[in-house]
Amino acid sequence: MPYRAPADDIRFILDKVVPVAPLSATDRFAEATPDLIDAMLVEGARLCDEVLAPLQRAGDTDPPRLEDGVLRSTAGFAGAYAKIAEGGWIGTAAPVDYGGMGLPQTLNMALQDMMSGACLALQLNPMLTQGQIEALEHHASDALRDLYLPKLISGEWSGTMNLTEPQAGSDVGALRTRAEPLGDGTHAITGQKIFISWGDCDFVGNVCHLVLARLPDAPAGTRGISLFMVPKFLPDADGNPGAANSLGVVSLEHKLGLHGSPTCVMAFEGAVGWLVGEPNKGMAAMFTMMNNARLGVGVQGIGVAEAACQKAAEYARDRVQMGPILGHPDVRRMLATMRAEIFAARAIALSCAVALDMARATGGSDWADRAAFLTPIAKAYGTDTGIRVAEAGVQVHGGMGFIEETGAAQYYRDVRVTAIYEGTNGIQAMDLVGRKMADGGDMALRLLEEVQSGAEAARGASPDLAEAVWSAAETLRETTEWLLAQEPRDRFAGAVPYLRAFALVLGARFHLVAWAEGGARRALAEVFIRRILPQHTACLAEAREGAAGLYALSDEDLVAG
């Protein structure tokens, strides 16, 4: 049974659980009617099922190659990308003035969910381009926007972001790439970048790199970083790709998974670049792209989880060991847990997307604050769910899961990096308990109030489930207040389990809403609330341990064992 894009599940969430209807009531998204959203989900699902999903294994077994400095992508990727571009899918949420559809990011995230499950390695290419589109829209000059946005939105050109260097990973302020003014408004960019996804591509006319670099005499650290547009080919007077720029792919990284997506070591040797935004303000511009990508990466985890779960369920149905293994209690436990966490993660991600869209449509700071708070949760919980589900999928397959030909292991290998790139999940958790609680925990406590109000409203129909959700939110509120009184190191030591606890409570809230719709939704909600939600107790116990016990071990103890 091939992959089936989960359009029905997404449609249910957008209709009943995280309603998208308020978006169409705004002037900005008035065209995003239920009929339009439904039609795009149907067409997007068809693209995923018929065009992208058949390439999933090919990307793993026939990865891109670097031949005499020329990148050769996986056979079939070029044709599939052309279908994505021709359908206008890259510009779903892009500005209308430059050729985009101007539709909600919520719909775009739903489509990216399906594309990620179909073929994550290829989906990563347009996702990065979408992030670059947003960064240019908000920070580039009119001239740069006019030149680059139409071609990026149409899919003629693709976009990347170049942050990481061998000595500068999460510590971006340590980067050494230089930008020397050339006297004509351009700059010579010199340096090396690593881990650049789709740093080259043989099925677009130009690859457009957003590169972080330092101007002469720039302040130290992140305050002295600027952002530059550095294209593979220099646009000519008509805006078409002209002479080759002084940059290239040094090598391709040998990776655990995601083989179909070339991860490049890039060398810039006096390459011509144009400043994006203000000098020394590059991090603000790059964070626009990164925040877009963080939600997108969370959605990638959810998409892969969906595909891994489908494959495991199919195998369990067909595999006979003392009867079909689908009937074995532990196999059913794994599959039910997988399905319940996917639903929770998907609802959290879509609720974050709705908040982003409402902020854009209304200008309301409350919506923007909500989106900012939910982003690290959506990224970390979405990718952790992808990893857990893909790992469980291997287990459902038993010994065959360890055999590459089944394809079960590929999902785990492919999704594992999502917890690392665009800010590790540990960084997401520290962001949650740090900057996102700089408001004194106001947004966190408001969200918990909403959870408890929803639970109160559900007491009449399902008193035991409602009580479980209400009590979990109350315990989380108490731990939130405790965290707010701690020093940063103690907050950070418990940040990861705290984030998971918050995600479990939010997921339980959405499952409780789905429970009211009856049918199989009730059974799945009970699995989550009765079997998974109780894990929040252990998470919060760890979160409240602080940092002392971790630092009681010396560095030598940790290194030597």
Side-chain angles (χ1 to χ4, degrees), residues 433 437 478-486 490-491 498 543:
V433 303
M437 288 191 181
E478 293 169 355
T479 299
T480 300
E481 292 173 346
W482 180 88
L483 275 178
L484 289 168
Q486 307 309 307
D490 288 317
R491 283 200 204 185
Y498 175 82

Side-chain angles (χ1 to χ4, degrees), residues 51-356:
V51 178
L52 303 186
L55 296 172
Q56 165 73 1
R57 289 295 289 148
D60 193 56
T61 58
D62 179 29
R65 307 176 307 281
L66 193 60
E67 298 176 347
D68 297 325
V70 178
L71 184 130
R72 307 295 184 192
S73 61
T74 297
F77 272 31
Y81 177 86
K83 294 290 185 182
I84 295 172
E86 290 166 6
W89 300 108
I90 299 172
T92 299
V96 174
D97 290 348
Y98 295 96
M101 297 185 192
L103 293 171
Q105 191 66 246
T106 303
L107 177 57
N108 184 48
M109 287 298 107
L111 295 166
Q112 295 305 314
D113 180 337
M114 297 191 292
M115 290 184 183
S116 299
C119 185
L120 179 61
L122 181 54
Q123 180 270 348
L124 185 55
N125 182 300
M127 188 199 82
L128 287 166
T129 299
Q130 289 176 342
Q132 186 173 110
I133 289 167
E134 186 163 5
L136 293 176
E137 179 188 0
H138 287 91
H139 300 283
S141 65
D142 289 343
L144 287 179
R145 285 198 295 262
D146 291 344
L147 173 59
Y148 285 91
L149 285 181
K151 289 178 167 45
L152 291 167
I153 290 169
S154 70
E156 294 176 64
W157 296 356
S158 65
T160 75
M161 57 178 173
N162 288 243
L163 291 79
T164 307
E165 299 180 7
Q167 80 292 340
S170 299
D171 183 10
V172 181
L175 69 82
R176 298 171 185 160
T177 299
R178 307 187 311 278
E180 299 285 344
L182 294 175
D184 59 357
T186 65
H187 298 76
I189 311 299
T190 302
Q192 185 179 91
K193 301 288 184 177
I194 63 173
F195 302 157
I196 309 307
S197 298
W198 284 102
D200 200 4
C201 181
D202 59 352
F203 46 74
V204 296
N206 207 351
V207 182
C208 308
H209 302 285
L210 282 182
V211 183
L212 291 180
R214 290 189 184 284
L215 290 164
D217 302 321
T222 57
R223 292 180 301 166
I225 295 175
S226 299
L227 182 65
F228 299 87
M229 168 59 75
V230 189
K232 177 180 178 181
F233 296 105
L234 298 171
D236 63 19
D238 297 319
N240 298 314
N245 209 347
S246 301
L247 60 88
V249 179
V250 176
S251 63
L252 300 182
E253 306 284 10
H254 299 282
K255 303 179 292 183
L256 173 68
L258 206 57
H259 294 151
S261 167
T263 301
C264 304
V265 176
M266 300 294 301
F268 298 86
E269 300 173 352
V272 178
W274 286 260
L275 184 67
V276 176
E278 298 179 26
N280 303 325
K281 302 292 185 181
M283 286 304 296
M286 185 58 84
F287 264 115
T288 299
M289 186 174 185
M290 289 178 66
N291 283 331
N292 177 294
R294 283 174 175 172
L295 177 56
V297 170
V299 166
Q300 286 183 333
I302 297 162
V304 175
E306 176 70 43
C309 184
Q310 288 187 21
K311 178 170 278 293
E314 175 192 8
Y315 183 83
R317 181 198 63 195
D318 297 339
R319 176 64 168 166
V320 176
Q321 294 281 280
M322 297 169 287
I325 66 171
L326 186 60
H328 294 187
D330 189 55
V331 173
R332 295 187 81 83
R333 176 193 63 80
M334 286 189 284
L335 291 171
T337 299
M338 293 157 75
R339 183 54 65 196
E341 289 225 62
I342 290 170
F343 180 90
R346 182 171 283 140
I348 291 171
L350 291 175
S351 69
C352 180
V354 168
L356 279 170

Side-chain angles (χ1 to χ4, degrees), residues 12 20 27 50 131 218 228 233 246 249 265 285 304 366 447 467-468 488 523 543:
F12 173 80
V20 74
D27 291 339
E50 298 176 3
F228 299 87
F233 296 105
S246 301
V249 179
V265 176
V304 175
D366 285 352
L447 285 170
E467 174 59 27

